[in-house]
Amino acid sequence: MSQGGAPLVMSPLMWAPEVWWSLFGHFIALSLMSIGGAITLVSDMHRRLVVDDHLLSDGDFTAAIALAQAAPGPNVLFVGLFGWYAGGIGGALISMLGIMIPSTTLALAVARWVSTRRHWLSVQAFQAGMMPVTVGLLLTTGWVLAPPLATQPRALLLSAVVAVLVWRTKIRLIWLIGAGALLGAVGWV
């Protein structure tokens, strides 16, 4: 997929069916594990796309997530950006189809089934048991995206402060984002 471990540089209209098949296979396999959303699987996506296949650089990977999270709309858009960086327009389309088709189909079927069985103890137990799984997957995503502690201890401190503020106060998130932007602009983080 790469030459000498360096990520491939693709044009948006490049014909790359081998990259597309790789992206589709990876995202369709991850789709059914995306409990809590695709963001919970970022650590595995990083391993495959950056470390193993060298389809993206670390910078492109992080930029895709940051751009998708800043944009309005569903947070799964970063998967399309991964595909775009790795395989152009075809990669973006194939990646989104891979991540969306299985999970959407399953979610629709399960939601219909659960809506008529909400009172069952087994359904309630399953829903309660999935909460710690989702939290654990989100923590692994944070771990992958966090800057290295040795080089960015202030960023880790800021992340911890923001997490506590979100958890314990009713401060609007836009103010925390603005404060983070201001701290970044003055060079503190």
Side-chain angles (χ1 to χ4, degrees):
M1 303 276 173
S2 67
Q3 298 169 345
L8 293 172
V9 177
M10 307 264 314
S11 76
L13 298 177
M14 187 170 203
W15 182 256
E18 68 282 350
V19 172
W20 299 342
W21 278 112
S22 175
L23 290 169
F24 185 73
H26 182 64
F27 288 119
I28 204 164
L30 288 179
S31 179
L32 294 176
M33 294 187 295
S34 59
I35 300 161
I39 196 74
T40 61
L41 298 172
V42 163
S43 57
D44 189 70
M45 292 176 195
H46 183 272
R47 179 195 54 78
R48 176 73 181 267
L49 299 173
V50 176
V51 178
D52 293 349
D53 290 349
H54 305 287
L55 291 173
L56 299 171
S57 68
D58 261 325
D60 285 344
F61 187 87
T62 304
I65 293 174
L67 182 59
Q69 295 302 308
N75 77 356
V76 75
L77 293 176
F78 68 90
V79 172
L81 289 171
F82 291 162
W84 173 269
Y85 286 142
I89 292 170
L93 181 63
I94 272 305
S95 296
M96 288 304 290
L97 286 172
I99 201 75
M100 297 298 292
I101 289 172
S103 60
T104 303
T105 304
L106 181 64
L108 180 60
V110 168
R112 287 183 176 183
W113 186 84
V114 166
S115 69
T116 61
R117 293 159 182 87
R118 214 173 274 289
H119 61 283
W120 289 12
L121 185 59
S122 58
V123 170
Q124 294 171 2
F126 178 78
Q127 289 176 324
M130 292 313 294
M131 193 178 312
V133 172
T134 302
V135 170
L137 290 169
L138 284 170
L139 288 173
T140 63
T141 297
W143 184 259
V144 167
L145 296 177
L149 179 58
T151 60
Q152 295 288 333
R154 288 181 181 171
L156 184 63
L157 175 65
L158 181 61
S159 297
V161 168
V162 168
V164 169
L165 287 173
V166 167
W167 176 41
R168 302 299 287 175
T169 70
K170 293 185 184 224
I171 296 174
R172 294 184 180 259
L173 293 179
I174 192 68
W175 294 112
L176 296 173
I177 292 169
L182 181 63
L183 290 173
V186 299
W188 195 80
V189 180

